[in-house]
């Protein structure tokens, strides 16, 4: 579409949005928010096809003004914790689905690399997992208790230790996004190769199912939110590398804030994963059906919160706004 046609098609909507902003306090918040999302979508389109044009500058100006008015002066009502996790964050996260997908693809690719490397080189597993862990696990296997490692530490100590460690990994994946996302990719790579090698090690010893049903009791949430933390790092990296029409500093600050919101969203899930690893994973005699049920519920919860729910809220907001505007 030519720029002139694009402007003609959307001009009335943009003017309406500017007018609504002038009456911000008397307009329903969902209408303003819906219009703001439309404006930012138009801005993204304009940046792609009309980079450096007056249209981009105009849309950038009203989007920045709207953002400041909507978010900087917004008064929180009710429970801030509830509002963030149930309303604000999921709707905000709708814009970062591509970075989430990229994080998932990076992680999945290196899981495959880990499996292939472990299968191709007999020394690779020991190099990645360490001689101490491999020897201990082989001893546990010979004692007919391959998952005994999850029973050696006290429940509370394991819960706290695992939770804190996972949050550290999450923060590292996020903060290393400051080097253009490369550091984030390295964190994802390291954890993914370790996972691939780990699973192949048990497959090699005829214990793939035994290990999977046990490890993924907590690992489903744990690995998923590491990928989400990777998304936070990629959001930060993108803000630095591709500032668009914003100054690099402005884009960088926005990237830090947006990435931090994503990391904050993972903390409750890391606590749940730590609880499962500390108190549930050690029950190795658990029936298969119960293990499968816990793993399935964990996976569906992650997919619902980070994929389906943001899309649902966005579409609902657009629909509600359209009804009120007409």
């Amino acid at each position: 579409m030519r720029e002139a046609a694009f402007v003609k098609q959307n001009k009335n909507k943009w003017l309406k949005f500017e007018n609504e902003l002038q009456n911000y306090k008397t307009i329903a918040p969902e209408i303003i928010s819906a219009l703001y999302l439309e404006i930012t979508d138009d801005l993204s389109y304009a940046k792609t096809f009309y980079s450096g044009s007056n249209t981009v500058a105009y849309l950038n100006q009203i989007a920045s003004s709207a953002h400041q008015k909507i978010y900087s002066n917004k008064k929180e009502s009710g429970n801030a914790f509830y509002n963030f996790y149930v309303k604000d964050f999921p709707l905000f996260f709708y814009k970062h689905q591509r970075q989430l997908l990229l994080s998932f693809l990076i992680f999945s690719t290196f899981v495959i690399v880990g499996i292939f490397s472990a299968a191709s080189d007999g020394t690779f597993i020991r190099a990645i997992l360490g001689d101490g862990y491999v020897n201990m696990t082989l001893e546990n296997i010979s004692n007919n208790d391959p998952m005994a490692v999850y029973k050696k530490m006290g429940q509370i100590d394991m819960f706290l230790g695992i939770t804190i460690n996972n949050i550290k990994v999450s923060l590292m994946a996020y903060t290393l996004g400051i080097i253009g996302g490369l550091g984030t990719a390295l964190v994802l790579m390291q954890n993914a190769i370790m996972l691939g090698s780990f699973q192949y090690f048990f497959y090699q010893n005829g214990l793939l199912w035994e290990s999977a049903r046990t490890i993924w009791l907590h690992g489903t949430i744990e690995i998923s939110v590491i990928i989400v933390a990777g998304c936070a790092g990629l959001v930060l990296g993108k803000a630095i590398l591709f500032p668009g029409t914003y100054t690099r500093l402005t884009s960088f600050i926005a990237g830090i804030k947006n990435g931090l919101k994503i990391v904050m969203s993972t903390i409750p899930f890391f606590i749940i994963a730590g609880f499962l690893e500390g108190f549930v994973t050690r029950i190795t005699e658990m029936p298969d059906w119960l293990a499968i049920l816990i793993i399935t519920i964990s996976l569906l919860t992650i997919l619902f919160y980070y994929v389906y729910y943001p899309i649902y809220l966005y579409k609902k907001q657009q629909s509600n706004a359209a009804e009120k505007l007409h």
Side-chain angles (χ1 to χ4, degrees):
M1 183 186 299
R2 291 187 177 183
E3 184 178 0
F6 176 70
V7 172
K8 183 178 180 181
Q9 177 179 307
N10 295 284
K11 181 180 178 180
N12 289 337
K13 177 178 67 178
W14 300 340
L15 293 174
K16 179 179 179 60
F17 182 61
E18 286 191 281
N19 182 60
E20 299 287 10
L21 282 179
Q22 298 300 319
N23 304 294
Y24 175 65
K25 292 184 179 180
T26 63
I27 302 299
E30 60 266 27
I31 294 179
I32 291 294
S33 297
L35 287 170
Y36 172 68
L37 289 174
E38 286 191 39
I39 289 296
T40 54
D41 286 343
D42 290 343
L43 176 59
S44 296
Y45 183 89
K47 285 180 181 179
T48 302
F49 296 101
Y50 320 119
S51 179
S53 67
N54 290 333
T55 302
V56 171
Y58 168 73
L59 289 174
N60 186 56
Q61 184 271 323
I62 61 174
S64 298
S65 175
H67 185 278
Q68 182 178 9
K69 197 165 224 178
I70 292 171
Y71 293 101
S72 298
N73 301 321
K74 183 173 72 172
K75 294 182 179 179
E76 292 293 337
S77 60
N79 189 307
F81 181 88
Y82 175 86
N83 287 337
F84 175 78
Y85 284 101
V86 178
K87 298 178 180 179
D88 297 339
F89 173 77
L91 187 57
F92 153 81
F93 194 65
Y94 171 79
K95 294 183 178 182
H96 302 295
Q97 297 288 301
R98 289 184 180 179
Q99 285 76 34
L100 179 63
L101 176 60
L102 178 58
S103 181
F104 171 76
L105 292 175
I106 292 172
F107 192 89
S108 299
T109 298
F110 283 106
V111 167
I112 295 171
V113 170
I115 294 171
F116 179 78
S117 299
S120 303
D121 184 351
T123 64
F124 186 79
I125 293 175
R126 288 184 175 272
I128 296 297
L129 301 180
D131 287 331
Y133 180 83
V134 171
N135 292 336
M136 176 191 67
T137 304
L138 289 174
E139 183 179 347
N140 290 338
I141 292 173
S142 67
N143 293 330
N144 295 316
D145 194 5
M147 299 291 112
V149 65
Y150 293 105
K151 306 174 184 177
K152 292 188 175 181
M153 187 182 296
Q155 294 172 322
I156 298 294
D157 290 340
M158 177 172 279
F159 163 60
L160 292 175
I162 292 297
T163 300
I164 292 171
N165 181 70
N166 286 339
I167 291 174
K168 285 181 179 178
V169 172
S170 174
L171 289 171
M172 184 180 298
Y174 159 57
T175 55
L176 289 180
I178 199 169
I179 50 178
L182 179 60
T184 298
L186 290 174
V187 173
L188 291 171
M189 178 186 74
Q190 180 183 24
N191 284 273
I193 288 177
M194 187 178 296
L195 175 62
S197 302
F198 184 83
Q199 288 286 209
Y200 186 82
F201 171 59
F202 282 98
Y203 165 77
Q204 199 175 45
N205 287 277
L207 293 165
L208 179 61
W209 170 244
E210 177 68 21
S211 67
R213 68 177 291 280
T214 301
I215 295 161
W216 289 97
L217 284 170
H218 64 272
T220 302
I221 292 179
E222 180 179 273
I223 296 301
S224 296
V225 288
I226 286 175
I227 292 172
V228 173
C231 168
L234 295 178
V235 167
L236 175 56
K238 179 186 176 185
I240 295 170
L241 294 177
F242 307 105
T245 56
Y246 297 101
T247 65
R248 200 169 296 276
L249 178 59
T250 300
S251 182
F252 172 61
I253 293 172
I256 290 177
K257 292 179 179 178
N258 292 338
L260 186 58
K261 287 181 183 179
I262 297 171
V263 171
M264 290 293 292
S265 79
T266 67
I267 293 177
F269 290 104
F270 275 131
I271 292 173
I272 294 171
F275 173 83
L276 290 173
E277 187 164 358
F279 293 90
V280 179
T281 301
R282 64 179 60 238
I283 309 174
T284 54
E285 65 275 13
M286 180 186 299
D288 286 352
W289 69 265
L290 182 55
I292 293 171
L293 179 62
I294 294 172
I295 292 169
T296 301
I297 291 174
S298 297
L299 179 60
L300 291 177
T301 299
I302 291 294
L303 290 176
F304 172 81
Y305 188 71
Y306 285 105
V307 180
Y308 171 78
Y309 192 46
I311 295 173
Y312 166 78
L313 283 183
Y314 174 77
K315 290 183 176 180
K316 181 180 178 181
Q317 184 186 65
Q318 295 292 93
S319 176
N320 289 344
E323 289 178 5
K324 292 185 178 183
L325 286 172
H326 294 90

